Amino acid sequence: MIVILKQNHDPKQLDELRAWLEEQNVAIQANYGVHSTVLGLIGDTAAIDSDLIEALDIVETVKRVSEPYKKANRKFHPENSVIPVGVTTVGGLDFAVMAGPCSVENREQLCEVAHAVKAGGATILRGGAFKPRTSPYAFQGMRESGIDLLLEAKKQTGLPIVTEIMDISHLDAFADVDCIQVGARNMQNFELLKELGHCNTPILLKRGLSSTIQEWLMSAEYIMAGGNENVILCERGIRTFETATRNTLDLSAVPVIKELSHLPIIIDPSHATGISRYVKPLAIAAAAIGADGIMTEVHNNPAKAMCDGPQSLTPAQFAEMMREIQAIVAVRR
Amino acid sequence: MIVILKQNHDPKQLDELRAWLEEQNVAIQANYGVHSTVLGLIGDTAAIDSDLIEALDIVETVKRVSEPYKKANRKFHPENSVIPVGVTTVGGLDFAVMAGPCSVENREQLCEVAHAVKAGGATILRGGAFKPRTSPYAFQGMRESGIDLLLEAKKQTGLPIVTEIMDISHLDAFADVDCIQVGARNMQNFELLKELGHCNTPILLKRGLSSTIQEWLMSAEYIMAGGNENVILCERGIRTFETATRNTLDLSAVPVIKELSHLPIIIDPSHATGISRYVKPLAIAAAAIGADGIMTEVHNNPAKAMCDGPQSLTPAQFAEMMREIQAIVAVRR
Amino acid sequence: MIVILKQNHDPKQLDELRAWLEEQNVAIQANYGVHSTVLGLIGDTAAIDSDLIEALDIVETVKRVSEPYKKANRKFHPENSVIPVGVTTVGGLDFAVMAGPCSVENREQLCEVAHAVKAGGATILRGGAFKPRTSPYAFQGMRESGIDLLLEAKKQTGLPIVTEIMDISHLDAFADVDCIQVGARNMQNFELLKELGHCNTPILLKRGLSSTIQEWLMSAEYIMAGGNENVILCERGIRTFETATRNTLDLSAVPVIKELSHLPIIIDPSHATGISRYVKPLAIAAAAIGADGIMTEVHNNPAKAMCDGPQSLTPAQFAEMMREIQAIVAVRR
Amino acid sequence: MIVILKQNHDPKQLDELRAWLEEQNVAIQANYGVHSTVLGLIGDTAAIDSDLIEALDIVETVKRVSEPYKKANRKFHPENSVIPVGVTTVGGLDFAVMAGPCSVENREQLCEVAHAVKAGGATILRGGAFKPRTSPYAFQGMRESGIDLLLEAKKQTGLPIVTEIMDISHLDAFADVDCIQVGARNMQNFELLKELGHCNTPILLKRGLSSTIQEWLMSAEYIMAGGNENVILCERGIRTFETATRNTLDLSAVPVIKELSHLPIIIDPSHATGISRYVKPLAIAAAAIGADGIMTEVHNNPAKAMCDGPQSLTPAQFAEMMREIQAIVAVRR
């Protein structure tokens, strides 16, 4: 970390800053120039909050020369991480496709969709059991019994399953789940992240609606610091002023993440746009830009499940999208 | 809720929508005009997700005529709510002032600040025991023992205390806390909100960095739906493109909340700006616009606590700010 | 346009609204329901400002059932528009590639880059003569003489040229330019747009940093309403909170625009990211999602032009990118 | 300007950077540390684009130690600027109040409002003659004849007038206007700003919807660099994700601008919120935080002018607001 001091800084305040930095076990190497005084901080600066230093009166600016994340950092792990998810992987040569219904509703619905997405080319079955809902009066998901149905669908189809956790206290119910999803609203639920760092299940970490890429990697670091290095990142749109789509999908995050981190990154075009007819073009763009996979919602019976799925594809639409994605993947690999 | 259909909608899809709505126990009153077909939905529509209906192919637009929040809604509770917090209140005639250190560090620091803010005019002592930190390597707070120190400072000064909870599993440690804070990052941690709805302690609910005012009120509704109607809202800045301040304080939220809800709203200028010299002008503006109080950080020893507080005021600055606020409050009341 | 009134609206205010609407030559068809009163406005509502009506006390909500843009609207022009730009076109079967230096600096630089981008597969030469600069002290471009050099490079290479206009008073200098660019900062310079509506040259209309897709189409409508229907849209990143890239490229705008409008849309990944190593992946994604082309910066001599081009590609990088784009285009067409 | 180089930078690239900087007439003072190499750039760095340098491969970060604006900078002009506007001033001890109709519609309307706002305490009459409208089909204002009416209202009331310019070519019509407004959409219309720098009339420069405070000051610098130092800044809301108000008023801009610049700053709560009932509280907050004035819309006949003014106050509301503002101003001065 490099700290540039203001030109006419108060030497007493500098002494205080030096004393404080030394308490943090950070060595200081100072450059006194005519034009500037620059402190190079040497040692483990990951725990130092650069914002706090930057806000000091005597400090002009602060710049990290090492990122605050270590285990998620490509510098220390140049090879791409390949994350095992049941019988398949995410981050390797194959393009991962997580597909399934928004919510698990009943055995018939789930199994029908599960068979359909497998036939279409999905590699992992998704489905919501615990559902984060903006309204306390809305359906909150089938919860534990939803996970039981997912496990049954897994048995029938052989597809590994991914489903969202909302609170540490539910962790036992996820014992046989192949990949645990942390939703966008919980991306900075640090107590949950810490706890998930102590389990062995791969974690799918969605980006928060207004989280920077660095904050997202720091949340991955929380999980990895606890020992669980199997983290898959998922971009699902950020909140902007535009209202034509529910969120704005930040596809630039793919090359940025590939540069900064070795972790795989997938794209969720269903939640990013909220509108099914935009899902296919964005999924194709995700494959073209080098994402490691996609996550998408598929429903079986648009008539019955009408309100399940303005952002969901039918099995036929899903299969058609998969054919186009495979053509892109063939060119890009 | 009013649903306007597209002009040439498919009657089969309309039948499906009608069937689905009836399953939700919502009555339908249809207006067939030359120019438009409009469905009025009558009954308890709070559980209906309007986004889902709006995204249907046959629907032009959807408009709630009743807000999705009920207990937080001023329509059903025209009088301002006055929330008791220990020996004081928030939302009544007095201007609430929550002040104290960012983090509880040790007995000496906390008690010194507690006495100083009481002398300056604070009505409630704040202090972080469980600290949400972006980095897993940063100090995570004194946790349970920090709460013990807060209780000791309360004993010494008589000030009620407010401190942040990060996970349901810590709830026992908050048994004697006068007001439990839910931080911006946990505003949509719905499992936490539900659980807090079952306790009797007043809740200070901070607005999420990218949460709309309606989402914020829905999170209040989660707590209130569980039975705990003692909710205080706290605006602390939203995330925008501007970088001159850490966040952008949305003071318009005060008149908007006052119109929509009976709940009190306070302002946190310390976190909104991240820079101590902007705290006073924004706190004064908060008093002028009709907020029910402020929450602000104060540290005792700028030299020692240097990195605790670029956004913190010294006790002298706090006392000066309080004098100016009191002059404004005197004019506005 | 449909206006839904509040349930207990003041009849006097409704009379005033009716009178005002009739003055605007709009017929009113009212539906009086038990649950709602809905006014259908029939006639030319494009000139009616829906925000103004929505803000009236008696109005619950307003919804346009016809978009406020007509000439840019796909409903009235179902076929894709193909815009002629000199000897080539934008919006047809071929993928348009506008490439060249950020600024025209001198004859040697421009001609060298022009030949290089032609060899690499560019179809149109870009280059800035009038430069919008944040600082009044920065180089403002070669202006008229820069356009002369572009015309010379056109003569040498046969490539049509596109360059930015900053003020109506410069229009004469653009007489021989094949496509006139309106920059992001001038997207709502309505007097400029009106004037460009009276010339015959195709217009490349960049999206404003914080403009919605609807506002962008309304700006295209300004040009088209004047008689010039040759408008090409260019998405170049919107302003968000993320700082890893200079702006956030909104690729979802491609399918949204393709649905709403018949106008072609191209992508500028250079300005969107500000970083040359992210240009190629985003350009490939643009080709995959169905954009009609790209605009990208290329410099010839990275050593000399060092500060010209952190977001510019070298000719070799450009040629490599073009090979990958052509592979994608071959699959997608 | 300070440039920190990456630790293992390529010496050849450094030579190129040095050569380029010297061409820009900037002297370089280098600090070679073990941990960092830091270049201090000495001389007139205002014309150097720091983003361009920062994006170079060998550069870790760049920091301006002098702001890129000079004439607008408080460092070089410690006293507040007081801008004369006809018979009154903005930026001195008095609180400026610019009030009047959104659009000039006819003589009767304008004069009635002008007398009313004068009676209520306005110091300057505002009114739109040239109107920037999102739709080409909407009323574009009375243009030149609107200015004639403003001049007549000035004659009747003695109030100086402020009105918006949309294009340089209209400048002659503004010869007798006391203050020329540059609207938010033209804040970075650099050719317009340059031209206004050559006239003597005070300029009211509105902040762009998505402009940073630094960009705004750079636009003021454009005007001042041309010789016209009479610039008044006006904050009118920035574009965010929140939809409860039309824009989000950034009141923090007041203390930030007061620190960085000597120019006066006023607040426009009418455009910031778009809703008349939020105008008063925000105007009061503006007075409390230390703004130099407000700009607000007032209409005379809510019945006739119904669609003129969801964000406009009636004369009675304006007078009531003025009484409350004066009470605040009395306390704050």
Side-chain angles (χ1 to χ4, degrees):
Chain A
M1 195 183 288
I2 289 171
V3 179
I4 304 176
L5 301 180
K6 285 186 183 156
Q7 273 185 279
N8 303 307
H9 56 267
D10 175 352
K12 189 165 150 282
Q13 287 192 290
L14 175 54
D15 289 345
E16 289 164 4
L17 174 59
R18 280 176 164 283
W20 183 85
L21 285 169
E22 277 157 16
E23 267 176 44
Q24 316 300 313
N25 293 317
V26 165
I28 300 166
Q29 188 248 331
N31 275 7
Y32 298 95
V34 175
H35 193 70
S36 60
T37 299
V38 177
L39 309 180
L41 310 190
I42 301 162
D44 184 1
T45 58
I48 307 276
D49 186 336
S50 60
D51 282 354
L52 293 181
I53 297 182
E54 189 146 24
L56 293 177
D57 280 346
I58 59 169
V59 172
E60 182 66 47
T61 195
V62 176
K63 180 72 185 180
R64 287 190 180 278
V65 290
S66 54
E67 293 79 13
Y69 43 92
K70 300 172 193 176
K71 292 185 173 250
N73 197 329
R74 188 177 281 277
K75 279 188 192 156
F76 309 123
H77 188 308
E79 297 298 308
N80 287 337
S81 281
V82 179
I83 311 294
V85 176
V87 296
T88 185
T89 60
V90 178
L93 287 179
D94 294 326
F95 189 77
V97 179
M98 305 183 182
C102 177
S103 296
V104 176
E105 290 174 25
N106 56 59
R107 176 177 290 110
E108 190 193 357
Q109 169 242 18
L110 181 63
C111 293
E112 198 175 317
V113 175
H115 284 289
V117 298
K118 189 183 182 186
T123 59
I124 297 171
L125 176 65
R126 61 144 289 154
F130 292 86
K131 296 296 299 173
R133 302 300 300 269
T134 307
S135 168
Y137 309 118
F139 175 56
Q140 309 272 318
M142 290 184 72
R143 301 172 73 93
E144 284 82 355
S145 58
I147 293 185
D148 292 341
L149 291 184
L150 282 164
L151 291 169
E152 187 176 325
K154 174 185 174 178
K155 213 166 159 184
Q156 287 190 21
T157 59
L159 291 175
I161 58 174
V162 56
T163 192
E164 180 169 352
I165 194 166
M166 286 178 63
D167 194 77
I168 301 171
S169 61
H170 307 149
L171 191 56
D172 287 349
F174 289 74
D176 298 321
V177 165
D178 299 288
C179 183
I180 300 177
Q181 174 178 325
V182 175
R185 292 182 183 83
N186 275 319
M187 193 203 85
Q188 291 193 318
N189 182 338
F190 299 122
E191 298 293 313
L192 177 61
L193 300 179
K194 274 187 222 175
E195 209 61 41
L196 294 175
H198 301 134
C199 76
N200 291 316
T201 313
I203 307 298
L204 181 73
L205 179 66
K206 290 203 155 188
R207 180 179 180 183
L209 263 77
S210 64
S211 297
T212 63
I213 288 174
Q214 177 162 316
E215 288 169 345
W216 190 17
L217 287 173
M218 288 308 290
S219 287
E221 188 78 12
Y222 255 96
I223 300 167
M224 298 172 86
N228 184 355
E229 303 203 357
N230 288 322
V231 177
I232 302 164
L233 301 169
C234 179
E235 157 67 26
R236 41 79 74 215
I238 58 174
R239 187 161 265 184
T240 71
F241 60 84
E242 177 59 65
T243 56
T245 46
R246 191 192 293 160
N247 299 290
T248 298
L249 183 65
D250 180 13
L251 267 186
S252 323
V254 176
V256 174
I257 286 288
K258 288 288 169 196
E259 179 174 283
L260 299 176
S261 179
H262 53 90
L263 297 174
I265 174 170
I266 70 166
I267 297 294
D268 176 348
S270 301
H271 282 89
T273 62
I275 298 172
S276 64
R277 63 189 181 275
Y278 301 146
V279 169
K280 186 175 83 169
L282 286 169
I284 289 169
I289 207 171
D292 295 293
I294 54 168
M295 174 175 241
T296 187
E297 294 188 1
V298 177
H299 59 63
N300 56 335
N301 187 341
K304 280 290 291 180
M306 188 183 308
C307 286
D308 172 48
Q311 72 201 26
S312 296
L313 304 176
T314 62
Q317 290 168 332
F318 174 70
E320 184 202 325
M321 177 181 82
M322 287 301 296
R323 281 189 293 274
E324 299 194 33
I325 286 178
Q326 281 150 1
I328 292 288
V329 169
V331 171
R332 300 291 298 147
R333 286 286 151 86
Chain B
M1 195 182 289
I2 289 172
V3 179
I4 303 176
L5 301 180
K6 286 186 183 155
Q7 275 186 276
N8 303 308
H9 57 266
D10 175 351
K12 189 166 150 285
Q13 287 192 288
L14 175 54
D15 289 345
E16 289 164 2
L17 174 59
R18 280 175 162 283
W20 183 83
L21 286 169
E22 276 157 18
E23 266 176 45
Q24 315 302 311
N25 294 316
V26 165
I28 301 166
Q29 187 247 332
N31 276 6
Y32 298 95
V34 175
H35 192 69
S36 60
T37 299
V38 177
L39 308 180
L41 310 190
I42 301 162
D44 184 2
T45 59
I48 307 276
D49 186 337
S50 60
D51 282 354
L52 292 181
I53 297 181
E54 189 146 24
L56 293 177
D57 280 346
I58 60 169
V59 172
E60 182 66 49
T61 195
V62 175
K63 181 71 187 180
R64 287 190 180 279
V65 290
S66 54
E67 294 79 14
Y69 43 93
K70 300 173 193 174
K71 292 184 172 252
N73 198 328
R74 187 176 282 277
K75 279 188 193 156
F76 309 123
H77 188 307
E79 297 298 308
N80 287 337
S81 280
V82 180
I83 312 294
V85 176
V87 296
T88 186
T89 60
V90 179
L93 287 179
D94 295 324
F95 190 75
V97 179
M98 306 183 181
C102 177
S103 295
V104 176
E105 291 174 24
N106 56 58
R107 177 178 289 108
E108 190 194 359
Q109 169 242 20
L110 181 64
C111 291
E112 198 174 316
V113 175
H115 284 288
V117 298
K118 190 183 183 188
T123 59
I124 298 171
L125 175 65
R126 59 144 291 153
F130 291 87
K131 296 295 300 173
R133 301 300 301 268
T134 308
S135 168
Y137 309 117
F139 175 56
Q140 309 272 316
M142 290 185 70
R143 302 173 73 94
E144 284 81 356
S145 58
I147 294 184
D148 291 342
L149 291 183
L150 282 163
L151 291 169
E152 187 176 326
K154 173 186 176 179
K155 213 166 161 185
Q156 287 190 21
T157 59
L159 290 175
I161 58 174
V162 56
T163 192
E164 180 169 352
I165 194 167
M166 287 178 62
D167 194 76
I168 302 171
S169 61
H170 307 147
L171 191 55
D172 286 349
F174 288 74
D176 297 321
V177 165
D178 299 288
C179 183
I180 300 177
Q181 175 179 323
V182 175
R185 294 181 183 83
N186 275 320
M187 193 202 86
Q188 291 194 320
N189 182 339
F190 298 121
E191 297 294 313
L192 176 62
L193 300 179
K194 275 187 220 174
E195 209 62 40
L196 294 175
H198 300 135
C199 76
N200 290 317
T201 313
I203 307 298
L204 181 73
L205 180 66
K206 290 202 155 189
R207 180 178 180 186
L209 263 78
S210 64
S211 297
T212 62
I213 288 174
Q214 177 162 315
E215 288 169 345
W216 190 17
L217 287 172
M218 289 307 290
S219 287
E221 188 79 12
Y222 255 97
I223 299 167
M224 298 172 87
N228 184 353
E229 303 203 358
N230 288 322
V231 178
I232 303 163
L233 301 168
C234 179
E235 157 68 26
R236 40 80 71 216
I238 57 173
R239 187 161 264 183
T240 71
F241 61 84
E242 177 58 66
T243 56
T245 45
R246 191 192 292 160
N247 299 291
T248 297
L249 183 65
D250 180 13
L251 267 185
S252 322
V254 176
V256 174
I257 286 288
K258 287 288 171 197
E259 179 174 283
L260 299 176
S261 180
H262 53 91
L263 296 174
I265 173 171
I266 69 166
I267 297 294
D268 177 348
S270 301
H271 282 89
T273 63
I275 298 172
S276 64
R277 62 188 182 275
Y278 301 146
V279 168
K280 186 175 83 169
L282 286 169
I284 289 168
I289 207 170
D292 295 293
I294 54 167
M295 174 175 242
T296 185
E297 295 187 1
V298 177
H299 60 62
N300 55 335
N301 186 342
K304 280 290 291 181
M306 188 184 306
C307 286
D308 171 49
Q311 73 201 24
S312 296
L313 303 176
T314 62
Q317 290 168 332
F318 174 71
E320 184 202 325
M321 177 181 82
M322 287 300 296
R323 282 188 294 275
E324 299 194 34
I325 286 177
Q326 280 149 2
I328 292 288
V329 169
V331 171
R332 300 290 299 147
R333 285 287 151 87
Chain C
M1 193 182 290
I2 290 171
V3 179
I4 303 176
L5 301 180
K6 286 186 183 156
Q7 273 185 277
N8 303 308
H9 57 267
D10 175 351
K12 191 167 148 282
Q13 288 192 288
L14 175 54
D15 289 345
E16 289 163 3
L17 175 60
R18 281 175 162 284
W20 183 84
L21 285 168
E22 278 157 17
E23 267 175 45
Q24 317 300 313
N25 294 316
V26 164
I28 301 166
Q29 188 248 331
N31 276 7
Y32 299 94
V34 177
H35 193 68
S36 60
T37 299
V38 177
L39 309 180
L41 310 190
I42 301 162
D44 184 1
T45 59
I48 307 277
D49 186 337
S50 60
D51 282 354
L52 293 181
I53 297 182
E54 189 146 24
L56 293 177
D57 280 347
I58 60 169
V59 173
E60 183 64 50
T61 194
V62 175
K63 181 71 186 182
R64 286 190 181 278
V65 290
S66 54
E67 294 79 14
Y69 43 93
K70 300 173 193 175
K71 292 185 172 250
N73 198 327
R74 187 176 282 277
K75 278 186 193 157
F76 310 123
H77 188 309
E79 297 299 307
N80 287 337
S81 281
V82 179
I83 312 293
V85 177
V87 297
T88 185
T89 59
V90 179
L93 287 179
D94 295 325
F95 189 76
V97 179
M98 305 182 182
C102 177
S103 294
V104 177
E105 291 175 24
N106 55 59
R107 177 176 289 108
E108 189 193 359
Q109 169 241 20
L110 181 64
C111 292
E112 197 175 318
V113 175
H115 284 289
V117 297
K118 189 183 181 187
T123 59
I124 297 171
L125 175 65
R126 60 144 290 155
F130 292 86
K131 297 294 301 173
R133 302 299 301 267
T134 308
S135 168
Y137 309 117
F139 175 56
Q140 309 272 317
M142 290 185 70
R143 302 173 74 94
E144 285 81 357
S145 58
I147 293 185
D148 291 341
L149 292 183
L150 283 164
L151 291 169
E152 186 175 326
K154 174 186 176 180
K155 215 167 158 184
Q156 286 190 22
T157 59
L159 291 175
I161 57 174
V162 57
T163 192
E164 180 170 353
I165 194 167
M166 287 178 64
D167 194 75
I168 301 171
S169 61
H170 307 148
L171 191 55
D172 287 349
F174 288 74
D176 297 321
V177 165
D178 300 288
C179 183
I180 300 177
Q181 175 178 324
V182 174
R185 292 182 183 83
N186 274 319
M187 193 203 86
Q188 292 193 320
N189 182 338
F190 298 122
E191 297 294 313
L192 176 62
L193 299 179
K194 273 187 223 175
E195 210 61 41
L196 294 175
H198 300 134
C199 75
N200 290 316
T201 313
I203 307 298
L204 181 74
L205 180 65
K206 290 202 156 189
R207 180 177 179 186
L209 263 79
S210 63
S211 296
T212 63
I213 288 173
Q214 178 162 315
E215 288 168 345
W216 190 16
L217 288 172
M218 288 307 289
S219 286
E221 188 79 11
Y222 255 96
I223 300 167
M224 298 171 87
N228 183 354
E229 303 203 359
N230 289 322
V231 178
I232 302 164
L233 302 169
C234 179
E235 157 67 28
R236 41 77 75 215
I238 57 174
R239 187 161 264 184
T240 71
F241 60 84
E242 177 59 66
T243 56
T245 44
R246 190 193 292 161
N247 299 290
T248 297
L249 184 65
D250 180 12
L251 267 185
S252 322
V254 176
V256 174
I257 286 288
K258 287 289 170 198
E259 179 175 284
L260 298 176
S261 180
H262 53 90
L263 296 175
I265 174 171
I266 69 166
I267 297 293
D268 176 350
S270 301
H271 282 89
T273 63
I275 299 174
S276 65
R277 61 188 183 276
Y278 300 146
V279 169
K280 186 175 84 170
L282 285 168
I284 290 168
I289 206 170
D292 295 294
I294 54 167
M295 174 175 241
T296 186
E297 294 186 4
V298 177
H299 60 61
N300 55 335
N301 186 341
K304 280 289 292 179
M306 187 184 305
C307 286
D308 172 49
Q311 72 200 26
S312 296
L313 304 176
T314 62
Q317 289 168 335
F318 174 70
E320 184 202 325
M321 177 181 83
M322 286 301 297
R323 281 189 293 275
E324 298 194 34
I325 285 177
Q326 281 150 2
I328 292 289
V329 169
V331 171
R332 300 292 297 147
R333 286 285 152 87
Chain D
M1 195 184 288
I2 290 172
V3 179
I4 304 177
L5 301 180
K6 284 186 183 156
Q7 273 186 277
N8 303 309
H9 56 267
D10 175 352
K12 189 166 149 284
Q13 287 192 289
L14 175 54
D15 289 346
E16 289 163 3
L17 174 59
R18 280 175 163 283
W20 183 84
L21 285 169
E22 277 157 16
E23 267 175 45
Q24 316 300 312
N25 294 316
V26 164
I28 300 166
Q29 188 246 332
N31 276 7
Y32 299 94
V34 175
H35 193 68
S36 60
T37 298
V38 177
L39 309 180
L41 309 190
I42 301 163
D44 184 0
T45 58
I48 306 276
D49 186 337
S50 60
D51 282 354
L52 292 182
I53 298 182
E54 188 146 25
L56 294 177
D57 279 346
I58 59 169
V59 172
E60 183 64 50
T61 194
V62 175
K63 181 69 186 181
R64 288 190 180 278
V65 290
S66 54
E67 293 80 13
Y69 43 93
K70 300 173 193 173
K71 292 183 172 251
N73 197 328
R74 188 177 281 278
K75 279 188 192 156
F76 309 122
H77 188 308
E79 297 298 307
N80 287 337
S81 280
V82 180
I83 311 293
V85 177
V87 297
T88 186
T89 60
V90 179
L93 287 179
D94 294 326
F95 189 76
V97 179
M98 305 182 182
C102 177
S103 296
V104 176
E105 291 174 25
N106 56 58
R107 176 176 290 108
E108 190 194 357
Q109 169 242 21
L110 181 63
C111 292
E112 198 175 317
V113 175
H115 285 288
V117 299
K118 191 184 181 186
T123 60
I124 298 172
L125 176 65
R126 60 145 289 154
F130 292 87
K131 296 295 301 172
R133 302 298 302 269
T134 307
S135 168
Y137 309 117
F139 175 56
Q140 309 272 319
M142 290 184 72
R143 302 173 74 94
E144 284 81 357
S145 58
I147 295 185
D148 291 341
L149 292 184
L150 283 164
L151 291 169
E152 186 176 326
K154 173 185 176 181
K155 213 167 160 185
Q156 287 190 21
T157 59
L159 290 174
I161 58 173
V162 57
T163 192
E164 179 169 354
I165 194 166
M166 287 178 64
D167 194 77
I168 301 172
S169 61
H170 306 148
L171 190 55
D172 286 349
F174 288 73
D176 297 321
V177 165
D178 299 288
C179 183
I180 300 177
Q181 174 178 325
V182 175
R185 294 182 183 83
N186 275 318
M187 194 202 85
Q188 292 194 319
N189 181 339
F190 299 122
E191 298 293 313
L192 177 61
L193 300 179
K194 274 186 220 175
E195 209 62 40
L196 294 175
H198 300 133
C199 76
N200 290 316
T201 313
I203 307 298
L204 181 73
L205 179 66
K206 290 203 155 187
R207 180 178 181 184
L209 264 79
S210 64
S211 297
T212 63
I213 289 174
Q214 177 162 315
E215 288 169 344
W216 190 16
L217 287 172
M218 288 307 291
S219 287
E221 188 79 12
Y222 254 96
I223 300 166
M224 299 171 87
N228 184 354
E229 303 202 358
N230 288 322
V231 178
I232 303 163
L233 302 169
C234 179
E235 157 68 26
R236 39 79 74 214
I238 58 174
R239 187 160 264 184
T240 71
F241 60 84
E242 178 59 65
T243 56
T245 46
R246 190 192 294 160
N247 299 289
T248 297
L249 184 65
D250 180 13
L251 267 186
S252 322
V254 176
V256 173
I257 286 287
K258 287 288 171 198
E259 179 175 281
L260 299 176
S261 179
H262 53 90
L263 296 175
I265 174 171
I266 69 166
I267 297 294
D268 176 349
S270 301
H271 282 90
T273 62
I275 298 172
S276 65
R277 61 190 182 273
Y278 301 147
V279 168
K280 186 175 83 169
L282 285 169
I284 289 168
I289 206 171
D292 294 294
I294 54 167
M295 174 174 240
T296 185
E297 296 187 3
V298 177
H299 60 62
N300 54 336
N301 187 342
K304 280 289 291 181
M306 187 184 306
C307 285
D308 170 49
Q311 73 200 25
S312 297
L313 304 176
T314 62
Q317 290 168 333
F318 174 71
E320 184 202 325
M321 177 181 82
M322 286 301 296
R323 282 188 293 274
E324 299 194 34
I325 286 176
Q326 281 149 3
I328 292 288
V329 169
V331 170
R332 300 291 298 146
R333 286 286 150 86

